[in-house]
Amino acid sequence: MNMISKKITLILLSSLTYFFTGCRQDYVPTDDELADYGWVLFSQKNYIGARDWFKQAVEKDSSYMDGYCGLGWSNGKMGYADTAYNYLFQGKDLNYDDVRFPNQVNLPIDIIAGLVFASRAMGNDAQTITYSQEFDFKQNQIQVALGDGSYRWKLKEFLFNSLEYNSKIDAQDVRLAWSTAQYNTGNFSDCVSNMRIIWEDAGVDTIFEPDILTVEGRDQIAKELEALQIKLSK
């Protein structure tokens, strides 16, 4: 952890220490501080601790969007897909205050990405496809706003970079979940198109032309999806 990330953690710890011990004056941390420290715990793979911090954030302010985002992601990491989905769904349509929380500009897409993975974990392919399409739309909006067509989403990119933490969760993982759902629902052509985008984004020059009308071709697609899953998990 570098000096910047140490500073962030120490600031949050000192604020929260005042809250619990009552030292000096009664300092009550803001919901933003509570949730940010939850992401610090998340980056340390302390998902139970992170979940508890995020829960405090939404109990303090039931309209706090990032608290629901954190609850969804931490529960998802613990394998509670249904619970993760419910929290993310609750947070999805809350009003995002980009003036109050300027560093959370990608919060809406963080939540949609979480809904993709939760839906996939629950085995709901139709829902996975729907949220993947919404994710793709939001990512395109960000690309237009930035004037950067090469932008690809990463979970909590700004905060995690400051902590020198790589969650290894990004737009390619969303597209793989999307591709898998398309395969499961028989949308083989769209599945292959998404797989090609994954390779293109990874800088892999490959030719993949399976015959989607044959059993052999579909088996080939399935094997390539498995290979991509292994590659992206590393």
Side-chain angles (χ1 to χ4, degrees), residues 42 44 83 194 215 229:
F42 185 97
Q44 297 168 350
T83 303
N194 263 329
V215 173
Q229 179 67 58

Side-chain angles (χ1 to χ4, degrees), residues 78-223:
M78 291 188 291
Y80 305 135
D82 289 349
T83 303
Y85 179 88
N86 289 335
Y87 278 123
L88 290 163
F89 188 80
Q90 287 181 64
K92 181 174 73 75
D93 294 324
L94 292 176
N95 291 324
Y96 166 64
D97 190 341
D98 58 355
V99 175
R100 185 181 174 198
F101 305 115
N103 292 331
Q104 297 176 9
V105 290
N106 290 338
L107 179 54
I109 197 173
D110 288 342
I111 287 181
I112 296 302
L115 285 167
V116 171
F117 296 126
S119 298
R120 182 73 201 93
M122 292 188 298
N124 191 327
D125 292 313
Q127 197 165 265
T128 301
I129 292 171
T130 297
Y131 284 124
S132 296
Q133 291 169 335
E134 186 172 353
F135 172 91
D136 199 44
F137 177 75
K138 287 186 179 297
Q139 182 171 255
N140 288 337
Q141 284 184 315
I142 296 173
Q143 290 172 345
V144 171
L146 294 175
D148 180 7
S150 66
Y151 167 83
R152 295 296 183 271
W153 169 84
K154 293 181 180 179
L155 178 63
K156 290 293 173 185
E157 183 173 14
F158 178 82
L159 178 59
F160 285 166
N161 282 347
S162 73
L163 298 172
E164 292 191 335
Y165 170 65
N166 181 5
S167 71
K168 298 183 179 179
I169 301 171
D170 58 27
Q172 286 193 322
D173 298 298
V174 174
R175 199 166 290 277
L176 179 59
W178 190 0
S179 301
T180 303
Q182 289 171 323
Y183 180 89
N184 290 342
T185 54
N187 297 319
F188 303 115
S189 179
D190 291 339
C191 171
V192 171
S193 294
N194 263 329
M195 292 168 69
R196 289 182 183 134
I197 293 173
I198 294 174
W199 284 316
E200 182 181 337
D201 284 349
V204 176
D205 187 13
T206 185
I207 297 176
F208 185 57
E209 299 288 349
D211 185 347
I212 63 174
L213 298 178
T214 66
V215 173
E216 291 79 7
R218 294 172 185 178
D219 284 345
Q220 188 180 359
I221 297 171
K223 289 177 181 178

Side-chain angles (χ1 to χ4, degrees), residues 8-9 12 31-47 49-51 53-54 64-75 77 88 104 107 110-111 153 155-156 159-160 163 165 167 169:
I8 291 173
T9 304
L12 288 163
D31 47 7
D32 195 28
E33 288 171 332
L34 282 170
D36 274 356
Y37 187 63
W39 288 114
V40 172
L41 293 172
F42 185 97
S43 73
Q44 297 168 350
K45 304 189 188 314
N46 182 359
Y47 303 123
R51 177 200 61 191
W53 281 111
F54 291 127
Y64 186 53
M65 193 175 185
D66 196 39
Y68 290 99
C69 182
L71 277 168
W73 277 97
S74 55
N75 275 284
K77 280 291 189 178
L88 290 163
Q104 297 176 9
L107 179 54
D110 288 342
I111 287 181
W153 169 84
L155 178 63
K156 290 293 173 185
L159 178 59
F160 285 166
L163 298 172
Y165 170 65
S167 71
I169 301 171

